[in-house]
Amino acid sequence: MSKLRAIIHVDMDAFYAAIEELDHPPWRGLPLVVGELGPRSVVSTASYAARRYGIRSAMPTLAAQRLCPQALFVPVRMSRYREVSAEVFGVFAEVSPEIEGLSLDEAFLDVTRSLRLFGGEVERIGRYLKQEIHQRTGLNASVGMAHNKLLAKLASELSKPDGFLRIQPDQVHAVLDPLPVGRLWTVGKVAEASLHRLGIHTVGELRFAEPRRLLQACGNQAALWQRLANGLDERPVDSAAEEKSVSAESTFVTDLTTLDQSLSWLAQLAERVGERLRAHGLQGRTVTVKLRKPPFETHTRQLSLPQPSDSTDVLLDAGRELLRRWWAAEKSPSLRLLGIGMSQFAPVPQSGLFAAPAEQGGRDQLADRINRKFGRGSLVRGVVLKSRKPGPEES
């Protein structure tokens, strides 16, 4: 039998809302919703006090207000959340290089090779993570530990908030069997409904279901689900997973009805994407523009670059061309959402010893340094100023 792995899943508690409470102490304990009120806004995160009223992520903010009229609604501050996330991931890197980030506030760590440094106990590593994250950021993390990813994630979920739980190999069935079948990885709402029609409501019932009947009713996923129901999961922690794309988008309270407005917003979004590309050492070949007409008709347009680039101007020129083409083809163009992104990344080539610095690259790097020092938006293209009106919900 192969040696069991030591896997940790860390999930920050109500991350965005917790940061807002940390930065604004009078808000602590209030039903707080991250997401501005508006007909097209949704909840990004809700504090635990707000969740008691039934408020959940991705819910329209107006629906959240109906559930809790006294709730405090605050705007998303993504740059601040990324800043705290970097501190959290810095703690992860102190215990293992094998980190699979799932989002700004969630990650898997394979700490199998780190056990000897912590006396052979995964719980000591888990406690170190919790304590260091809290000491450095003031925030609580829920930590789940097990011998695979499925069980480690369940452990953190079951112990939230401020959780700390290890699922031992001999506890797997005791923990899994009573859970609703929808708690398993890959079992979504449609799959859950299919299993319910077979009379399967718990993970234990799925584990003991007759495989042939399950296969006939649910298809090829049936075998995977039964393996998961038995607590089996061989997925590795994928620390080499690369970003497939870098993008930014905004949803508007009032539709954009002129090309001039739209180009201005596109420039602001392109600056954000360009800055992120350079920060991560990425150069891409494919530019994508996302356009959503009211009410919910979404279009995407793509353009391939002759060579990989991280230049904001190159990105913006391609995006402008795509936007103008789409605008000209529409009878009555208007936009409720606009986005731009870069994908198909290639390695950044190393400059030759005597290569002259590219003028545009120098301008971009200078702008990045100024914006890092004085805050995003301190130095922008003039066209961006036309977009600076309240109301968009950005991501």
Side-chain angles (χ1 to χ4, degrees):
M1 181 177 175
S2 61
K3 182 181 178 182
L4 292 177
R5 294 177 294 162
I7 307 297
I8 295 178
H9 179 259
V10 182
D11 194 3
M12 302 299 293
D13 295 339
F15 187 53
Y16 295 179
I19 292 173
E20 296 300 340
E21 290 182 339
L22 183 74
D23 290 351
H24 307 92
W27 295 354
R28 290 177 185 171
L30 298 178
L32 186 146
V33 176
V34 179
E36 294 183 90
L37 274 174
R40 296 175 180 175
S41 297
V42 296
V43 175
S44 290
T45 309
S47 68
Y48 285 100
R51 294 180 194 189
R52 288 196 285 271
Y53 293 87
I55 297 174
R56 295 289 179 267
S57 297
M59 172 185 290
T61 54
L62 293 181
Q65 187 185 41
R66 287 193 291 271
L67 289 172
C68 182
Q70 69 271 32
L72 175 64
F73 291 81
V74 301
V76 175
R77 295 189 298 151
M78 194 57 67
S79 60
R80 172 62 173 146
Y81 309 150
R82 289 196 182 100
E83 176 187 317
V84 179
S85 174
E87 292 185 74
V88 172
F89 274 72
V91 177
F92 297 162
E94 293 177 7
V95 301
S96 174
E98 297 181 67
I99 304 165
E100 181 181 344
L102 304 178
S103 62
L104 291 181
D105 62 336
E106 183 182 5
F108 284 112
L109 290 78
D110 188 331
V111 298
T112 309
R113 298 179 187 179
S114 306
L115 288 174
R116 288 180 62 186
L117 299 174
F118 289 83
E121 297 179 16
V122 70
E123 287 95 337
R124 288 185 64 182
I125 301 178
R127 284 193 199 93
Y128 176 85
L129 291 169
K130 273 186 73 73
Q131 291 167 1
E132 287 299 309
I133 289 171
H134 188 269
Q135 182 176 332
R136 299 184 200 183
T137 70
L139 303 177
N140 290 329
S142 288
V143 174
M145 297 150 288
H147 51 278
N148 63 40
K149 291 167 76 172
L150 168 75
L151 297 171
K153 183 171 173 61
L154 275 173
S156 68
E157 290 175 350
L158 293 172
S159 60
K160 270 185 167 286
D162 198 17
F164 187 82
L165 177 65
R166 180 184 180 188
I167 299 177
Q168 301 271 13
D170 60 358
Q171 299 172 324
V172 172
H173 297 319
V175 172
L176 283 181
D177 282 358
L179 295 177
V181 72
R183 292 296 295 269
L184 285 181
W185 172 64
T186 78
V187 178
K189 294 294 183 184
V190 174
E192 186 179 21
S194 298
L195 292 169
H196 286 177
R197 286 193 290 272
L198 295 175
I200 297 171
H201 293 85
T202 68
V203 174
E205 290 168 345
L206 175 59
R207 180 160 71 95
F208 288 109
E210 205 281 310
R212 183 178 299 177
R213 178 169 172 252
L214 200 60
L215 177 65
Q216 289 173 343
C218 301
N220 295 332
Q221 287 286 89
L224 171 62
W225 292 342
Q226 284 204 300
R227 288 186 62 77
L228 296 175
N230 277 281
L232 302 174
D233 180 13
E234 294 82 21
R235 290 175 298 156
V237 170
D238 188 3
S239 56
E242 298 180 358
E243 270 193 281
K244 298 296 187 291
S245 66
V246 173
S247 62
E249 63 184 42
S250 286
T251 301
F252 307 101
V253 174
T254 303
D255 297 335
L256 303 183
T257 56
T258 70
L259 179 59
D260 194 44
Q261 277 181 309
S262 303
L263 289 169
S264 179
W265 274 108
L266 189 73
Q268 180 174 334
L269 297 168
E271 288 192 338
R272 195 179 320 155
V273 173
E275 184 179 346
R276 287 177 58 196
L277 288 171
R278 293 183 291 275
H280 289 84
L282 299 171
Q283 292 188 348
R285 287 184 177 275
T286 301
V287 176
T288 301
V289 169
K290 181 178 177 182
L291 312 114
R292 180 170 297 156
K293 294 170 56 178
F296 294 106
E297 184 181 331
T298 304
H299 303 260
T300 58
R301 298 290 185 269
Q302 289 189 333
L303 189 151
S304 294
L305 302 174
Q307 60 187 28
S309 178
D310 61 5
S311 162
T312 298
D313 276 353
V314 171
L315 173 68
L316 181 54
D317 286 346
R320 283 170 173 157
E321 182 176 344
L322 293 169
L323 176 57
R324 286 188 174 113
R325 283 185 204 165
W326 180 85
W327 200 275
E330 291 291 312
K331 288 184 178 178
S332 54
S334 64
L335 291 170
R336 66 170 294 167
L337 176 147
L338 178 62
I340 187 169
M342 183 77 90
S343 59
Q344 272 198 302
F345 297 128
V348 177
Q350 185 173 359
S351 299
L353 182 61
F354 301 105
E359 182 182 353
Q360 176 54 41
R363 288 202 302 267
D364 280 336
Q365 298 295 342
L366 175 61
D368 292 346
R369 287 198 298 271
I370 290 172
N371 286 322
R372 279 196 297 270
K373 183 172 182 179
F374 298 105
R376 179 195 284 167
S378 299
L379 183 64
V380 299
R381 287 160 175 76
V383 67
V384 170
L385 300 176
K386 299 178 184 178
S387 68
R388 292 194 164 173
K389 297 176 182 178
E393 179 187 318
E394 301 176 357
S395 63

